[in-house]
């Protein structure tokens, strides 16, 4: 039986394992946290660093197919494993391209893929000089090249005076897009080159945390914009030649243009609703892609929303879910918890999927969900 | 955190655990088979007899809530645990009533619930005498009171000469219903008395194995019959006062009457499609019921079929799934495997859920599924 290894054992790994139960997949997980969400559910759990060469290399030796649920992994070790004939999906070269926002942005430019204007920067002084000399770049975001995650590693630079907020490390200064909406398309590609997208979703971000607060599917956009978003997602997947899932986050600007914001080569928060709302979930689709099986039908059953359950501000400690009873009594509402014992402000603790037959009913229910549940400490 | 125990670790346990991942349920499993489907996925797996008092009692001591995925369990031990304050759902008294087909049939008669005519029998001689004296009971089925399962424990008695095929043990001789269709309704009831049904399904049985071969939902029946089936299912659940799921198998006779065939106090083969086809699956509904949470919305996304994957006749040994590639390429088709290494004729190895927007398209696809996949030995 094919042994699969996942680098990372958090909630994405958890939902991958859950989907893998359908097909009795044998799954090993590596995660530095002994209390990681996957610890009891994978066939074999190893505690260890995802960024240490030897740890990743040895973990990979024991499996036939290796995948990731987080980009911050030791790519050198993955490349060594790939050279030795292991199937590593997404391919190490793709992870390397994507895990640094600098090479990611440059990739779009090199492939004529639409994205916001940017300049690569070396350090804080570089940013200060740039914004002083080219004020038309402002307002902008300074993004750390490596290791940004879940809203960390991004700074808004509104005026030249903000340049001292820039990261003093290699990064990219990106002109802020005056966007109408933020969209996302999850696309899958398998080894034989079959490509399939999920319907475009519309994301609403938390104003302070820079995390998806909730999303709606289908997105409330014109057929033309939907087409643009779907096409761009396919183009990016093909440009990378990725095998696996690629989550493509997009801006719809005020002129009706769709621009790539950033991508992630793995299952993504913007696809959690597909577990309940689509014929094939993003997690099953990832397995299909990396096991080189025919990709699944992504048709949606109907309108869906996904509300992230984030740790409440001011609460750090053992997690308690306030208002769960109300939520469970709502028709078409399904909470999903990630098994994290401790909450902290903004931590992703779970999500709630909302189904309805109309977009209006959906919005009402999603609002109610957001009002009814809070992740607090007792 | 509440610890839950499941007596039995087969495919129903597996799908219960899979649904339980949404809520991080901590689940212990007891099964006599060290290779049971659940062994790697439950929080704690114990190998042991389900019918041995001490084994069941000790297993139950370690958990807070106890449930079953098979009826053939030691009910005395469950009653002792219940007396000591453990939550045991379904209640031991209900399991006891249902695990013997004699008390099950008598229960329907006592509660004026519609069911086929029957006579309780003590042994084979009893059956021989009955059919000789009351030929109008024929054709009939002789059903073993206890321990029948998956088509075993049922004998057709067409003529008085067939009496030697009857079981020489306590049983029930039931007049064969000249039925139009076989239907099933899964109903859930929680401790606060909330009752909710799934839409009625139509089952097609394998001509020889007496196992469900495939089923369709919704059933192709009139609104009146649908109403009868739904009402009867609710009545049975309320009559038992069950906490948990109850699968109610029904006959629709040629006169348009709905009669109870038999019931099972647990998730059931006739509800597997709900994982993919309904807003709440039967497995999540079971957790909601036994944890005394509000019951979930059972609305179907659309028409669905479920095809059982049974071990092919003439094949005993390591299982191989022929035609899987074809199946995975069909839109809206999802296979589910139970992780059984060995196949044998008629063994339930997995199932396939089929979704479509029309009943016609569904039947075509279900036919194709049945033709495309076979469980064989290599």
């Amino acid at each position: 039986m094919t042994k699969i290894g996942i680098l990372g054992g958090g909630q994405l790994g958890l939902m991958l394992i859950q989907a893998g139960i359908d097909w009795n997949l044998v799954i090993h997980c590596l995660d530095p946290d002994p209390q990681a969400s996957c610890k009891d559910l994978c066939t074999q759990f190893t505690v260890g660093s995802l960024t240490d060469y030897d740890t990743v290399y040895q973990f990979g030796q024991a499996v036939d197919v290796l995948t990731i649920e987080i980009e911050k992994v030791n790519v050198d070790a993955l490349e060594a494993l790939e050279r030795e004939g292991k199937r590593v999906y997404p391919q190490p070269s793709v992870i390397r391209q994507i895990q640094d926002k600098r090479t990611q942005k440059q990739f779009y430019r090199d492939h004529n893929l639409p994205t916001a204007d940017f300049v690569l920067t070396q350090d804080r002084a570089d940013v200060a000089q740039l914004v002083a000399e080219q004020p038309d770049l402002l307002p902008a975001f300074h993004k750390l090249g490596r290791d940004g995650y879940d809203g960390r590693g991004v700074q808004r630079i509104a005026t030249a005076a903000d340049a001292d907020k820039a990261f003093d490390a290699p990064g990219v200064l990106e002109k802020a897009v005056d966007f109408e909406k933020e969209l996302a398309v999850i696309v899958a590609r398998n080894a034989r080159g079959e490509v399939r997208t999920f319907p475009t979703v519309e994301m609403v971000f938390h104003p302070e945390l820079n995390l998806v607060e909730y999303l709606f599917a289908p997105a409330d956009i014109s057929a033309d914009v939907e087409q643009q978003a779907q096409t761009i997602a396919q183009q990016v997947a093909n440009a990378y030649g990725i095998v696996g899932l690629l989550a493509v986050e997009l801006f719809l600007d005020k002129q009706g243009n769709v621009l790539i914001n950033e991508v992630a080569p793995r299952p993504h928060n913007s696809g959690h609703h597909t577990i309940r709302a689509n014929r094939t979930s993003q997690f099953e689709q990832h397995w299909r892609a990396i096991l080189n099986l025919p990709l699944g039908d992504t048709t949606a059953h109907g309108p869906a929303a996904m509300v992230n359950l984030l740790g409440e501000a001011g609460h750090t400690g053992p997690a308690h879910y306030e208002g769960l009873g109300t939520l469970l009594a709502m028709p078409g509402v399904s909470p999903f918890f990630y098994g994290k014992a401790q909450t902290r402000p903004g931590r992703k603790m779970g999500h709630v999927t909302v189904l309805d037959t109309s977009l209006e009913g959906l919005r009402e229910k999603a609002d109610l969900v957001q009002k009814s549940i809070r992740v607090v400490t007792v």
Side-chain angles (χ1 to χ4, degrees), chain A:
Chain A
M1 193 138 187
T2 306
K3 280 186 200 150
I4 300 165
I6 306 178
L7 296 181
Q11 65 262 23
L12 300 175
L14 184 70
M15 291 182 269
L16 278 170
I17 292 173
Q18 190 182 29
I21 294 173
D22 288 5
W23 302 344
N24 295 116
L25 300 184
V26 174
I27 300 172
H28 295 204
C29 270
L30 176 69
D31 197 279
D33 180 1
Q35 297 306 316
S37 299
C38 292
K39 69 176 164 47
D40 291 325
L41 285 162
C42 52
T43 315
Q44 197 175 303
F45 180 64
T46 307
V47 178
S49 165
L50 300 171
T51 52
D52 178 66
Y53 183 96
D54 291 336
T55 307
V56 170
Y57 181 78
Q58 277 163 35
F59 176 78
Q61 283 287 324
V63 300
D64 305 301
V65 181
L66 203 56
T67 190
I68 60 169
E69 60 116 52
I70 181 168
E71 299 89 293
K72 200 182 162 186
V73 295
N74 191 298
V75 179
D76 293 334
L78 294 181
E79 281 174 343
L81 289 161
E82 189 184 48
R83 273 193 304 274
E84 293 168 21
K86 294 282 179 201
R87 287 174 279 163
V88 185
Y89 299 128
Q91 303 92 319
S93 59
V94 176
I95 302 173
R96 195 184 285 286
Q97 275 282 354
I98 291 174
Q99 72 179 184
D100 190 324
K101 290 215 168 70
R102 293 159 52 88
T103 49
Q104 197 187 126
K105 285 291 286 189
Q106 191 59 48
F107 183 87
Y108 306 143
R109 182 170 283 169
D110 294 346
H111 289 78
N112 290 312
L113 292 163
T115 191
D117 278 349
F118 68 93
V119 186
L120 300 183
T121 57
Q122 283 305 321
D123 51 26
R124 189 178 292 146
D126 212 3
V127 175
Q129 194 183 336
L130 264 169
V131 297
E133 290 174 2
Q134 303 179 44
D136 57 316
L137 268 172
L138 297 178
F141 288 97
H142 192 231
K143 295 180 175 177
L144 201 53
R146 299 177 66 90
D147 304 344
Y149 189 67
D150 263 1
R152 292 183 286 275
V154 177
Q155 275 296 349
R156 186 175 161 86
I157 314 288
T159 67
D162 287 336
D164 62 346
K165 289 195 231 155
F167 299 100
D168 199 16
V172 48
L173 187 72
E174 185 180 291
K175 189 165 167 58
V177 176
D178 185 19
F179 62 81
E180 185 71 34
K181 288 175 188 292
E182 293 196 65
L183 308 173
V185 176
I186 290 179
V187 54
R189 186 178 174 282
N190 65 14
R192 66 189 89 159
E194 192 187 353
V195 173
R196 200 168 285 194
T197 55
F198 283 88
T200 307
V201 304
E202 181 173 341
M203 299 183 290
V204 179
F205 278 73
H206 188 286
E208 284 133 47
L209 296 169
N210 196 27
L211 281 169
V212 175
E213 195 164 8
Y214 57 101
L215 65 78
F216 293 99
D220 186 12
I221 51 178
S222 68
D224 168 62
V225 171
E226 173 75 24
Q227 192 50 55
Q228 275 190 68
Q230 295 281 314
T231 302
I232 290 169
Q234 289 167 26
Q235 286 171 337
V236 191
N238 281 323
Y240 281 119
I242 192 173
V243 172
L245 281 191
L246 187 74
V248 183
E249 296 188 53
L250 302 157
F251 294 119
L252 169 63
D253 76 10
K254 296 260 162 83
Q255 289 72 48
N257 303 307
V258 178
L259 304 171
I260 301 168
N261 176 10
E262 59 182 47
V263 302
R266 53 165 171 80
H268 192 258
N269 196 203
S270 60
H272 290 352
H273 64 290
T274 59
I275 299 175
R276 296 288 188 151
N278 296 66
R279 288 191 178 170
T280 303
S281 75
Q282 66 165 339
F283 300 99
E284 177 178 328
Q285 197 74 309
H286 187 66
W287 292 131
R288 285 177 178 256
I290 72 168
L291 298 173
N292 204 19
L293 298 169
L295 297 178
D297 178 0
T298 59
T299 306
H301 300 310
M306 191 279 302
V307 178
N308 271 326
L309 294 180
L310 305 176
E312 191 81 7
H315 291 258
T316 299
H320 172 71
Y321 299 87
E322 213 177 77
L324 192 52
T326 311
L327 193 118
L328 286 169
M330 294 170 67
V333 169
S334 314
F336 197 111
F337 301 106
Y338 302 154
K340 299 175 184 177
Q342 303 289 315
T343 184
R344 52 172 190 264
R347 189 175 195 199
K348 285 183 184 163
M349 300 299 287
H351 71 262
V352 183
T353 306
V354 182
L355 304 179
D356 204 278
T357 45
S358 78
L359 266 174
E360 264 179 34
L362 192 70
R363 277 174 200 273
E364 267 173 42
K365 261 195 229 171
D367 280 350
L368 257 173
V369 165
Q370 281 182 306
K371 278 173 199 148
S372 63
I373 190 161
R374 294 196 322 147
V375 189
V376 295
T377 49
V378 196

